[in-house]
Amino acid sequence: MAYTETRTVGYGSRVGSSFKGIGAGIMLFLAGTALLWWNEGNYVKTDKMLNEAEGVTVELESIDRIDPEMDGKLVYATGFATTQDSLIDPKFGVGATAIKLKRQVEYYQVSEQAHEEHKDKLGGKEEIVTTYTYTEGWTTNPIMSSNFHDPAYQKKNFVLTTADSEGWQAEKVTFGAFQLAENQIGSIMGDVPVELRIDSAMIVAMNKECQQVIQRQFGGKSDSMKLVHIADNVLYYGFSPSSPAVGDVRITFTKVMPAKVSIIAKQTGNSFTKFKAKNGKTFQTLVMGERPAEEIYEGAHSANTTMMWIFRILGIVMVISGLKGIFAFIETILKVVPFVANIIGWGVGVVCTVIGIAWSLIIIALAWLFYRPLIGISLLAIAGFLVWVFAFKGKDKLKELAQRGKAAPQTAPANSPDNV
């Protein structure tokens, strides 16, 4: 069931908060502007770097031997990444000869979600109704239920055990005659289950620990309960893995085995390092499987474009939100009459959106003028058109409506001589 709380905020407090929000709005506006400028420049620099890198990439004929003549060059190679390192989880004793070993821990908990509904009251006050709902599910961390708002759910959460999600990585991974660097090893993906072989004495100790937790939580004896289960690569704490309950813990073990990879990086001795372009941007990549260099560069260009649009949209939203935060006090001051305030607030929102988009286009255009002039000029023209439409066309429309009002015929009163 839902649990609700209601509180009222006075008119003075609302106005004070809105004026405090001006500073935050200015900071958000400036941050969005800076992000837009940086993003456009970063996109162009990365694009130029990728083009430069693609033009000088040389394919290694074989990774089974190190060719000194290729030292210092940006090379492309594909082959098998392998290791003889044995990795082990020190807490549970789970191990494997693999490139990576991972332990993922999840807890079955009650979580609290809050939804606020704001209602304006005549005179400027605001009523805030907060509705709290509760759901059960798997989370990556235990949840402290003692702070829940509904007393019925307070202190309901507990866990049978605790452990951190961790990972281990092989130190020595070979790529033919080459040695991969730590960051390159980190790029190797492909999780597969680990066969669990946990010592029976350890399982007994785990089970006893869980029984003690159950006794403290619910009271009574629990010596006969089996609370630790192993299924495939999952170590499960709880009554039944098929019917999870609050307090259960699920620990999943996976590993990354040797695999075929493709690399583009600068050959440095018997390893690989980052390529540095003329503009200072660096590049190296490791992708899974055997993929042509052209396909890898195509993916890099696509990723660069995607990130550019993500940051561009984020920057525009920040600029618009910042402007709304700066001018939010206008609507708040008028909240003594909610209907009027809502109309004015809608108008302020529209104005801030138009100005925010126009400003963002100007910043983007100026950045492109700096990096690529032709595209920048086009964007400036679009931004100028938006400003003209908003500033002048809107003004002309208001004048037209005013003139229509003056020219409209007035109806004579019913008792005037003209109606006799």
Side-chain angles (χ1 to χ4, degrees):
M1 292 181 62
Y3 180 82
T4 60
E5 289 183 345
T6 303
R7 61 188 177 94
T8 302
V9 181
Y11 177 68
S13 298
R14 297 183 72 185
V15 173
S17 298
S18 67
F19 278 107
K20 291 179 182 178
I22 293 176
I26 292 173
M27 293 298 295
L28 190 59
F29 174 81
L30 294 176
T33 300
L35 177 62
L36 287 171
W37 179 272
W38 170 85
N39 178 54
E40 302 305 321
N42 182 68
Y43 168 77
V44 174
K45 289 179 181 179
T46 302
D47 185 66
K48 289 182 177 179
M49 176 273 293
L50 289 173
N51 289 332
E52 179 184 339
E54 190 170 7
V56 298
T57 299
V58 181
E59 182 176 357
L60 286 181
E61 294 182 0
S62 174
I63 62 172
D64 295 330
R65 64 180 185 86
I66 298 174
D67 186 352
E69 294 184 2
M70 304 298 286
D71 199 65
K73 294 183 179 181
L74 181 61
V75 300
Y76 157 79
T78 184
F80 209 69
T82 188
T83 185
Q84 298 299 320
D85 287 6
S86 294
L87 306 177
I88 189 167
D89 181 334
K91 183 177 178 66
F92 297 97
V94 176
T97 300
I99 293 175
K100 293 179 184 178
L101 177 66
K102 299 179 184 178
R103 177 215 297 165
Q104 182 183 2
V105 184
E106 299 171 282
Y107 303 89
Y108 200 81
Q109 300 280 271
V110 176
S111 60
E112 180 182 69
Q113 297 84 36
H115 172 73
E116 287 188 351
E117 184 179 354
H118 297 255
K119 299 178 182 178
D120 294 322
K121 298 295 183 180
L122 196 62
K125 293 183 178 180
E126 180 184 33
E127 182 182 83
I128 303 175
V129 179
T130 307
T131 302
Y132 298 96
T133 56
Y134 299 86
T135 57
E136 295 181 0
W138 291 104
T139 65
T140 55
N141 292 290
I143 298 175
M144 295 294 293
S145 56
S146 57
N147 297 324
F148 285 172
H149 291 78
D150 189 344
Y153 286 92
Q154 290 177 359
K155 298 183 179 180
K156 187 171 184 178
N157 279 338
F158 73 100
V159 293
L160 290 173
T161 190
T162 57
D164 295 327
S165 293
E166 290 191 51
W168 298 266
Q169 181 173 292
E171 294 183 0
K172 185 177 181 181
V173 176
T174 57
F175 182 68
F178 294 89
Q179 173 79 38
L180 294 184
E182 182 178 353
N183 60 344
Q184 294 158 354
I185 298 172
S187 298
I188 301 175
M189 310 300 289
D191 292 352
V192 296
V194 176
E195 183 180 355
L196 298 186
R197 295 178 180 176
I198 300 177
D199 184 71
S200 58
M202 182 179 290
I203 295 177
V204 171
M206 293 175 183
N207 199 70
K208 186 175 181 180
E209 178 187 348
C210 292
Q211 290 170 355
Q212 292 172 350
V213 173
I214 293 294
Q215 288 175 359
R216 288 194 299 267
Q217 184 72 20
F218 301 104
K221 294 184 177 181
S222 59
D223 296 342
S224 61
M225 295 181 181
K226 183 181 179 182
L227 298 171
V228 178
H229 311 267
I230 296 178
D232 298 325
N233 64 323
V234 177
L235 177 62
Y236 194 94
Y237 293 76
F239 290 104
S240 174
S242 60
S243 301
V246 173
D248 289 6
V249 181
R250 182 171 64 186
I251 305 177
T252 306
F253 296 89
T254 58
K255 60 184 177 180
V256 175
M257 298 300 291
K260 199 162 196 177
V261 300
S262 298
I263 294 177
I264 297 179
K266 185 175 75 172
Q267 180 177 320
T268 306
N270 69 336
S271 189
F272 302 98
T273 57
K274 293 180 180 179
F275 163 79
K276 188 173 183 179
K278 295 176 182 177
N279 62 9
K281 297 286 287 184
T282 60
F283 178 72
Q284 70 168 349
T285 186
L286 182 149
V287 298
M288 300 306 297
E290 184 175 353
R291 294 175 56 187
E294 295 81 6
E295 183 180 325
I296 296 175
Y297 277 113
E298 183 180 340
H301 279 289
S302 178
N304 185 39
T305 301
T306 299
M307 292 306 299
M308 179 267 292
W309 275 106
I310 290 174
F311 284 120
R312 181 180 286 177
I313 294 171
L314 177 61
I316 293 173
V317 171
M318 290 173 64
V319 167
I320 295 173
S321 299
L323 289 173
K324 289 182 178 180
I326 294 171
F327 295 103
F329 72 92
I330 298 174
E331 180 183 359
T332 305
I333 291 174
L334 297 173
K335 284 295 185 181
V336 288
V337 184
F339 175 72
V340 175
N342 291 337
I343 295 176
I344 298 300
W346 178 84
V348 170
V350 171
V351 172
C352 289
T353 299
V354 174
I355 293 177
I357 293 175
W359 175 262
S360 299
L361 288 175
I362 290 172
I363 297 301
I364 293 172
L366 290 174
W368 278 87
L369 274 176
F370 187 78
Y371 295 105
R372 291 185 177 177
L374 290 178
I375 298 178
I377 292 172
S378 302
L379 290 173
L380 277 176
I382 295 173
F385 175 75
L386 284 175
V387 173
W388 176 76
V389 169
F390 180 73
F392 295 100
K393 280 296 186 180
K395 185 177 180 182
D396 294 342
K397 189 66 176 178
L398 289 175
K399 287 182 178 179
E400 181 182 341
L401 291 174
Q403 290 173 355
R404 287 182 182 179
K406 291 179 180 180
Q410 297 182 354
T411 304
N415 58 353
S416 68
D418 294 339
N419 291 334
V420 176

